[in-house]
């Protein structure tokens, strides 16, 4: 019998220290909600980039966004340094 891999994603970390704590508790993915259609982001884009740097690969950083333009989404992913994106809405 093979081992099943798991993914635990938590969104809304507001600091690098909080993101590191989540990773230490077993969170595999830290979601960073930005450029949202409804809610105010938890952190600025610059602060989110800092969280990604602080995580240093201890957990996967994921952009969560309502963006609908692929080029704009990719540019934001590259700026942040995230390894994944969770899209809400049409692309």
């Amino acid at each position: 019998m093979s081992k099943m891999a798991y993914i635990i994603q938590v969104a809304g970390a507001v600091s690098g220290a909080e993101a590191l704590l989540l990773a230490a508790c077993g969170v595999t993915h830290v979601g960073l909600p930005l450029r949202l259609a409804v809610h105010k982001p938890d952190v600025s884009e610059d602060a989110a980039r800092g969280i990604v740097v602080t995580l240093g690969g201890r957990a996967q950083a994921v952009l969560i966004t309502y963006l609908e333009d692929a080029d704009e989404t990719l540019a934001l992913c590259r700026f942040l340094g995230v390894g994944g994106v969770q899209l809400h809405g049409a692309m």
Side-chain angles (χ1 to χ4, degrees):
M1 178 178 269
S2 65
K3 264 186 138 174
M4 182 182 268
Y6 64 91
I7 294 174
I8 301 172
Q9 179 173 309
V10 175
V14 296
S15 70
E18 186 175 50
L20 288 173
L21 177 63
L22 291 169
C25 290
V27 169
T28 60
H29 294 70
V30 175
L32 301 165
L34 295 167
R35 300 196 192 173
L36 309 173
V38 181
H39 307 286
K40 180 182 174 198
D42 299 313
V43 296
S44 69
E45 293 175 11
D46 287 328
R49 184 179 187 175
I51 290 170
V52 174
V53 170
T54 300
L55 267 175
R58 292 175 187 87
Q60 181 77 25
V62 177
L63 166 64
I64 301 171
T65 188
Y66 287 83
L67 289 174
E68 295 182 350
D69 180 81
D71 291 332
E72 185 180 0
T73 303
L74 182 58
L76 182 55
C77 286
R78 288 180 174 156
F79 170 77
L80 296 171
V82 297
V85 61
Q86 177 181 324
L87 298 170
H88 290 264
M91 173 59 63

